[in-house]
Amino acid sequence: MLMRGGTSKGAYFLADDLPAEPALRDDLLLRIMGSPDERQIDGLGGAHPLTSKVAVISASEDPNADVDYLFLQVVVDRPEVSDRQNCGNILAGVGPFAVERGLVDAGGRETSVRIRMVNSGEHATATFPTPDGRVDYTGDAEISGVPGAAAPVVIEFPPRAGELLPTGKRVDVIDGVEVTCVDNGMPTVLIAATSLGVTGYESPRDLEEDLALADQLHSIRLATGRLMGLGDVSDATVPKLTLLAPPRNGGAITTRTFIPVRCHTSIGVLGAASVAAGLRIEGAVGADIAAIDPASDRVRIEHPTGFLDIKSSVTAGPDGPPAARRTAVVRTARKIFDGTVFPRAADRPTGGHR
Ligand code: NQM
């Protein structure tokens, strides 16, 4: 099933329909999505990381979950499939897909599906309308970056066990640039845009064309990946790098996020959750330019195509490091297509036209 989840699009599969062996599964997914090829002309992929995503879903054996959701990023122009990150946008389609495929029964006017995110072992609960025992995708919820309106999918994340500041510091200095490494579901590096010589209000395309910036970001990413305990991240899709600037449209902060090479046209859900939590930490990069209301748990993250509202609270206990408490977000999702995909044959060369 092809679905839009939040501001991303992906192919959703039942785990039973794919090979269990990861190498065979990944080879099949590359052929289904049309990778490696910058246009993904021979497959389902949309030629951008945000539209080259896969969700693999199965009934869960975890007593705290109804379904297991494994997220796989299918790299557009390299023969790689990565399970090293979650995706909170594709997560928005997981509950509806589980009902569509009969893994979960619709539970009245709305249904809540408890999801174990296999990539991290963390949990989320998604609630969405199911009048008449079927998923209703129509509604009046609007999210920036998606035209029109659709039914809301409310996603709640319980408090995380992992460190909010994986390097143990509020600020690290890499190549003379101050950064804050934060992880509230997505390893993210916060950087003041001005410290890299840009304003933070440029378009994603202009930022992507700035090759000197790309070099700086690459170097910061390799260093912060190691500091965050992620090892060598040269081929990984994490950590994400978020450039910060003061808000311009009534929100808390302006963002431009590299995921990690292309610049996001909006922002990832867990990426935004990490930014929101980071900005609540006194002394963190960006905390001084952010307009955060300490009395509210809502943080409005401005991004290139609008804003994303995250509900997030952080405890800064006297005896320990800051920790994220509840995080919640509203997304929408939509079933686009359900049918049979015909993968490219296995024995054909996969060189693409690079
Ligand atoms: O951070 C893109 C997206 C994402 C990830 C990325 C996401 C999240 O927008 O939870 O949703 O950062 O690679 O789909």
Side-chain angles (χ1 to χ4, degrees):
M1 184 176 289
L2 195 66
M3 296 185 87
R4 174 181 64 76
T7 49
S8 284
K9 189 156 62 181
Y12 290 64
F13 294 90
L14 288 172
D16 284 349
D17 288 341
L18 292 172
E21 163 63 41
L24 294 179
R25 178 200 65 203
D26 292 353
D27 174 66
L28 177 62
L29 291 175
L30 287 165
R31 291 184 285 115
I32 286 175
M33 300 302 276
S35 291
D37 169 27
E38 64 185 26
R39 291 198 300 151
Q40 292 185 313
I41 194 67
D42 208 16
L44 290 183
H48 191 282
L50 298 176
T51 49
S52 183
K53 299 184 168 232
V54 165
V56 183
I57 294 148
S58 55
S60 184
E61 290 178 1
D62 179 340
N64 297 315
D66 302 307
V67 294
D68 282 354
Y69 153 51
L70 172 69
F71 171 71
L72 296 171
Q73 180 73 53
V74 179
V75 177
V76 172
D77 56 358
R78 292 196 312 271
E80 281 171 29
V81 177
S82 173
D83 64 1
R84 290 190 63 186
Q85 71 165 87
N86 265 332
C87 180
N89 272 307
I90 290 298
L91 172 64
V94 171
F97 176 84
V99 172
E100 294 269 3
R101 287 287 187 263
L103 293 177
V104 175
D105 291 333
R109 276 176 50 78
E110 52 179 38
T111 298
S112 290
V113 177
R114 299 169 310 155
I115 300 161
R116 184 172 79 101
M117 298 183 287
V118 176
N119 305 70
S120 60
E122 288 160 5
H123 292 79
T125 301
T127 304
F128 49 91
T130 48
D132 312 322
R134 298 166 65 149
V135 182
D136 184 0
Y137 295 96
T138 61
D140 57 10
E142 294 182 29
I143 59 172
S144 300
V146 178
V153 179
V154 179
I155 306 177
E156 291 267 353
F157 301 94
R160 299 182 65 245
E163 294 290 341
L164 188 56
L165 294 174
T167 72
K169 293 190 190 162
R170 288 168 193 237
V171 174
D172 291 282
V173 180
I174 313 287
D175 301 340
V177 175
E178 289 196 345
V179 303
T180 291
C181 300
V182 58
D183 186 351
N184 187 19
M186 181 66 72
T188 303
V189 182
L190 307 182
I191 311 168
T194 49
S195 68
L196 295 178
V198 293
T199 65
Y201 304 110
E202 294 85 352
S203 69
R205 176 183 284 203
D206 284 352
L207 290 171
E208 283 177 355
E209 285 173 356
D210 185 338
L211 300 183
L213 177 68
D215 280 351
Q216 277 180 295
L217 291 173
H218 182 68
S219 166
I220 291 174
R221 202 170 72 78
L222 293 188
T224 50
R226 267 185 227 103
L227 286 179
M228 294 171 98
L230 301 168
D232 177 4
V233 294
S234 20
D235 290 328
T237 57
V238 285
K240 312 293 177 184
L241 303 151
T242 299
L243 308 189
L244 304 173
R248 275 190 162 172
N249 296 302
I253 195 83
T254 299
T255 60
R256 297 290 183 266
T257 301
F258 287 80
I259 58 171
V261 176
R262 300 296 303 268
C263 182
H264 207 305
T265 49
S266 51
I267 190 168
V269 170
L270 293 160
S274 296
V275 172
L279 296 178
R280 288 196 186 275
I281 300 171
E282 209 183 312
V285 168
D288 55 334
I289 53 169
I292 300 264
D293 176 0
S296 164
D297 62 358
R298 194 191 77 170
V299 179
R300 175 162 288 189
I301 309 283
E302 296 182 12
H303 58 63
T305 46
F307 61 84
L308 193 155
D309 283 337
I310 280 279
K311 286 191 173 175
S312 120
S313 51
V314 167
T315 39
D319 305 322
R325 289 189 294 163
R326 168 176 175 263
T327 302
V329 70
V330 175
R331 298 273 83 191
T332 64
R334 202 171 77 77
K335 172 168 70 170
I336 297 172
F337 170 80
D338 193 9
T340 307
V341 65
F342 297 88
R344 186 181 66 221
D347 55 356
R348 225 173 88 188
T350 57
H353 45 222
R354 280 182 291 169

